Amino acid sequence: MPSNTISDNSLAVSDKDIITALIDISKLITEKSKSSDLYEKIHQIISKVILVRNIAIAEVNNFNQTMKLNYFVDEMDGNSFQDKTIDIGNGLSAFAINAKKPIKLDQSEILKLQSSGQIERIYGTMCHSWIGIPIINGKDVFGLIIVQSYSPSFTYSERDLEILTFVGSNINILMQQKRIEAEDKLIREEMLQKDKMASLGQLVAGIAHEINTPLGVCVTGISNLYEEHTVFKKAAVNGLVTEKQFNNFIEDVGETCSIIKSNVERASRLISSFKQVAVDQSSETIRLINIKNYINETIQSLNPLIKKTKHSITVTSPDCLELKTQPGALSQLITNLITNSFIHGFEDVKRGEIEIIVTEQDSKLEIIYKDNGKGMDEEQSTKFFDPFFTTKRGSGGSGLGGHIIFNIVATSLKGSIKLETAIGKGCKFIIAIPKV
């Protein structure tokens, strides 16, 4: 568990420090690690910009009114509640869960809630300052982040609340991904129990589904080849093979082997591309990539989230267009743009459409990203790239998504980005990246 050695005074951090920390947290959602390990990394990153000696990250079960503490660090209780399931009760946790919005309280406000009967009692040691961030999916709270300070010399600020709200939105994505993975695992186990002879396509879930087609072609080819071999062998044993039958068999074997070879290579390339996207997300290495292929690989890596919707994404780009850049930054940019469309643009849209168009413009690469979502008015579009601007303040929105998109383009990709939008007209982002 991380141990904070910072003083009780507010940390002297710049906007750049905050943005860097939040980008680092965003990158963590693509890591394939245990939740507790990811939460510890998140805690370590937060500690660079906020005093968080005491933190709990919990999954909420509304059915039986319990919380599972997936991550717990506390000056008074250590990590004694780590992985424990406790009743929600009627304390501060319940107050934040029922409010369904980020809550910041000092000791006097906590005591007023207690005296007025809005909360029953304080569990554990009374804190001096407290923040609760409900993690919301639709109308239900399925997670909660709690940080608290026991020191009278430190009180959490509105800035701290904003930052932790953003952290909550990333943990929201992380928890949903873990739930999707768990659901897929249950589905696979159920299918195996019901039908031992289920085809590979029935067992594939998420991104692995893309590999089913080439492997299916290989299975069909091998089956046909085996049948032809059986017939040919029988004729050969009986001395009944004609010249025409022999030539046809040789030709069919060659064609089938060629088909199998090309589809095995295709499956291998798919696996390699999925692995490469995962590596790039955590790397700042500059390398040469095929733009069209890489954007498609990034979209494929988001398939576990995309497949739960009816939205569609199309990519238009020259097949041979290449760029020497930071692939991880480009992948993070595409991921953030798609996430923004899904959460905000398609809020009331059942079948959203996203189009990504890539062209070469002299010494620059132009990427046009557009969706047919609800769009923004002039005031919203003007402030979109500003830090802490959001239209979802009471629903877990942090207001940092647009600024992070801008920062990725300007800092990591050394490019520029502008937004064109109007109410009911969707959003269009025009991104220019210099060719190294």
Side-chain angles (χ1 to χ4, degrees), residues 112-123:
K112 286 179 182 178
L113 290 174
Q114 190 174 11
S115 63
S116 65
Q118 295 183 65
I119 60 174
E120 285 185 353
R121 66 183 182 86
I122 303 302
Y123 296 88

PDB file of all heavy atoms in Angstrom, residues 112-123:
ATOM      1  N   LYS A 112     -23.869  18.436  11.759  1.00  0.00           N
ATOM      2  CA  LYS A 112     -25.221  18.929  11.489  1.00  0.00           C
ATOM      3  C   LYS A 112     -26.092  17.835  10.863  1.00  0.00           C
ATOM      4  O   LYS A 112     -27.271  17.683  11.219  1.00  0.00           O
ATOM      5  CB  LYS A 112     -25.173  20.137  10.560  1.00  0.00           C
ATOM      6  CG  LYS A 112     -24.682  21.421  11.209  1.00  0.00           C
ATOM      7  CD  LYS A 112     -24.648  22.564  10.203  1.00  0.00           C
ATOM      8  CE  LYS A 112     -24.114  23.841  10.838  1.00  0.00           C
ATOM      9  NZ  LYS A 112     -24.026  24.966   9.853  1.00  0.00           N
ATOM     10  N   LEU A 113     -25.522  17.067   9.943  1.00  0.00           N
ATOM     11  CA  LEU A 113     -26.266  15.959   9.332  1.00  0.00           C
ATOM     12  C   LEU A 113     -26.657  14.933  10.385  1.00  0.00           C
ATOM     13  O   LEU A 113     -27.766  14.388  10.368  1.00  0.00           O
ATOM     14  CB  LEU A 113     -25.423  15.288   8.239  1.00  0.00           C
ATOM     15  CG  LEU A 113     -25.166  16.077   6.954  1.00  0.00           C
ATOM     16  CD1 LEU A 113     -24.199  15.318   6.048  1.00  0.00           C
ATOM     17  CD2 LEU A 113     -26.474  16.341   6.203  1.00  0.00           C
ATOM     18  N   GLN A 114     -25.733  14.726  11.325  1.00  0.00           N
ATOM     19  CA  GLN A 114     -25.997  13.749  12.381  1.00  0.00           C
ATOM     20  C   GLN A 114     -27.068  14.253  13.350  1.00  0.00           C
ATOM     21  O   GLN A 114     -27.988  13.509  13.700  1.00  0.00           O
ATOM     22  CB  GLN A 114     -24.701  13.447  13.131  1.00  0.00           C
ATOM     23  CG  GLN A 114     -24.797  12.273  14.095  1.00  0.00           C
ATOM     24  CD  GLN A 114     -23.454  11.920  14.695  1.00  0.00           C
ATOM     25  OE1 GLN A 114     -22.491  12.654  14.554  1.00  0.00           O
ATOM     26  NE2 GLN A 114     -23.393  10.784  15.374  1.00  0.00           N
ATOM     27  N   SER A 115     -26.974  15.505  13.733  1.00  0.00           N
ATOM     28  CA  SER A 115     -27.936  16.055  14.689  1.00  0.00           C
ATOM     29  C   SER A 115     -29.337  16.186  14.091  1.00  0.00           C
ATOM     30  O   SER A 115     -30.342  16.108  14.799  1.00  0.00           O
ATOM     31  CB  SER A 115     -27.457  17.422  15.203  1.00  0.00           C
ATOM     32  OG  SER A 115     -27.377  18.350  14.127  1.00  0.00           O
ATOM     33  N   SER A 116     -29.388  16.372  12.761  1.00  0.00           N
ATOM     34  CA  SER A 116     -30.691  16.502  12.100  1.00  0.00           C
ATOM     35  C   SER A 116     -31.294  15.151  11.731  1.00  0.00           C
ATOM     36  O   SER A 116     -32.418  15.092  11.222  1.00  0.00           O
ATOM     37  CB  SER A 116     -30.556  17.348  10.831  1.00  0.00           C
ATOM     38  OG  SER A 116     -29.743  16.698   9.865  1.00  0.00           O
ATOM     39  N   GLY A 117     -30.549  14.082  11.976  1.00  0.00           N
ATOM     40  CA  GLY A 117     -31.062  12.739  11.705  1.00  0.00           C
ATOM     41  C   GLY A 117     -30.887  12.276  10.265  1.00  0.00           C
ATOM     42  O   GLY A 117     -31.369  11.206   9.894  1.00  0.00           O
ATOM     43  N   GLN A 118     -30.172  13.059   9.443  1.00  0.00           N
ATOM     44  CA  GLN A 118     -29.965  12.644   8.047  1.00  0.00           C
ATOM     45  C   GLN A 118     -28.966  11.495   7.945  1.00  0.00           C
ATOM     46  O   GLN A 118     -28.973  10.745   6.976  1.00  0.00           O
ATOM     47  CB  GLN A 118     -29.498  13.832   7.212  1.00  0.00           C
ATOM     48  CG  GLN A 118     -30.552  14.929   7.098  1.00  0.00           C
ATOM     49  CD  GLN A 118     -30.083  16.050   6.194  1.00  0.00           C
ATOM     50  OE1 GLN A 118     -29.891  15.865   4.994  1.00  0.00           O
ATOM     51  NE2 GLN A 118     -29.908  17.230   6.771  1.00  0.00           N
ATOM     52  N   ILE A 119     -28.077  11.409   8.938  1.00  0.00           N
ATOM     53  CA  ILE A 119     -27.223  10.230   9.077  1.00  0.00           C
ATOM     54  C   ILE A 119     -27.315   9.782  10.533  1.00  0.00           C
ATOM     55  O   ILE A 119     -27.563  10.596  11.426  1.00  0.00           O
ATOM     56  CB  ILE A 119     -25.747  10.508   8.702  1.00  0.00           C
ATOM     57  CG1 ILE A 119     -25.152  11.591   9.598  1.00  0.00           C
ATOM     58  CG2 ILE A 119     -25.635  10.891   7.242  1.00  0.00           C
ATOM     59  CD1 ILE A 119     -23.656  11.807   9.370  1.00  0.00           C
ATOM     60  N   GLU A 120     -27.118   8.475  10.762  1.00  0.00           N
ATOM     61  CA  GLU A 120     -27.276   7.962  12.121  1.00  0.00           C
ATOM     62  C   GLU A 120     -26.043   8.232  12.978  1.00  0.00           C
ATOM     63  O   GLU A 120     -26.106   8.888  14.000  1.00  0.00           O
ATOM     64  CB  GLU A 120     -27.560   6.464  12.070  1.00  0.00           C
ATOM     65  CG  GLU A 120     -28.986   6.146  11.623  1.00  0.00           C
ATOM     66  CD  GLU A 120     -29.261   4.663  11.694  1.00  0.00           C
ATOM     67  OE1 GLU A 120     -28.326   3.881  11.955  1.00  0.00           O
ATOM     68  OE2 GLU A 120     -30.424   4.283  11.470  1.00  0.00           O
ATOM     69  N   ARG A 121     -24.923   7.706  12.535  1.00  0.00           N
ATOM     70  CA  ARG A 121     -23.708   7.858  13.336  1.00  0.00           C
ATOM     71  C   ARG A 121     -22.496   7.757  12.430  1.00  0.00           C
ATOM     72  O   ARG A 121     -22.575   7.343  11.283  1.00  0.00           O
ATOM     73  CB  ARG A 121     -23.634   6.790  14.427  1.00  0.00           C
ATOM     74  CG  ARG A 121     -23.475   5.372  13.909  1.00  0.00           C
ATOM     75  CD  ARG A 121     -23.485   4.367  15.051  1.00  0.00           C
ATOM     76  NE  ARG A 121     -23.295   2.994  14.608  1.00  0.00           N
ATOM     77  CZ  ARG A 121     -22.117   2.424  14.412  1.00  0.00           C
ATOM     78  NH1 ARG A 121     -21.010   3.121  14.631  1.00  0.00           N
ATOM     79  NH2 ARG A 121     -22.023   1.161  14.021  1.00  0.00           N
ATOM     80  N   ILE A 122     -21.357   8.147  12.958  1.00  0.00           N
ATOM     81  CA  ILE A 122     -20.102   8.080  12.227  1.00  0.00           C
ATOM     82  C   ILE A 122     -19.430   6.750  12.523  1.00  0.00           C
ATOM     83  O   ILE A 122     -19.226   6.387  13.686  1.00  0.00           O
ATOM     84  CB  ILE A 122     -19.162   9.237  12.624  1.00  0.00           C
ATOM     85  CG1 ILE A 122     -19.860  10.584  12.386  1.00  0.00           C
ATOM     86  CG2 ILE A 122     -17.860   9.164  11.840  1.00  0.00           C
ATOM     87  CD1 ILE A 122     -20.304  10.791  10.950  1.00  0.00           C
ATOM     88  N   TYR A 123     -19.113   6.007  11.483  1.00  0.00           N
ATOM     89  CA  TYR A 123     -18.413   4.739  11.650  1.00  0.00           C
ATOM     90  C   TYR A 123     -16.907   5.000  11.700  1.00  0.00           C
ATOM     91  O   TYR A 123     -16.345   5.611  10.803  1.00  0.00           O
ATOM     92  CB  TYR A 123     -18.750   3.785  10.496  1.00  0.00           C
ATOM     93  CG  TYR A 123     -20.210   3.398  10.476  1.00  0.00           C
ATOM     94  CD1 TYR A 123     -21.138   4.175   9.802  1.00  0.00           C
ATOM     95  CD2 TYR A 123     -20.651   2.255  11.143  1.00  0.00           C
ATOM     96  CE1 TYR A 123     -22.479   3.827   9.776  1.00  0.00           C
ATOM     97  CE2 TYR A 123     -21.993   1.895  11.130  1.00  0.00           C
ATOM     98  CZ  TYR A 123     -22.909   2.689  10.451  1.00  0.00           C
ATOM     99  OH  TYR A 123     -24.235   2.356  10.441  1.00  0.00           O
TER     100      TYR A 123
END
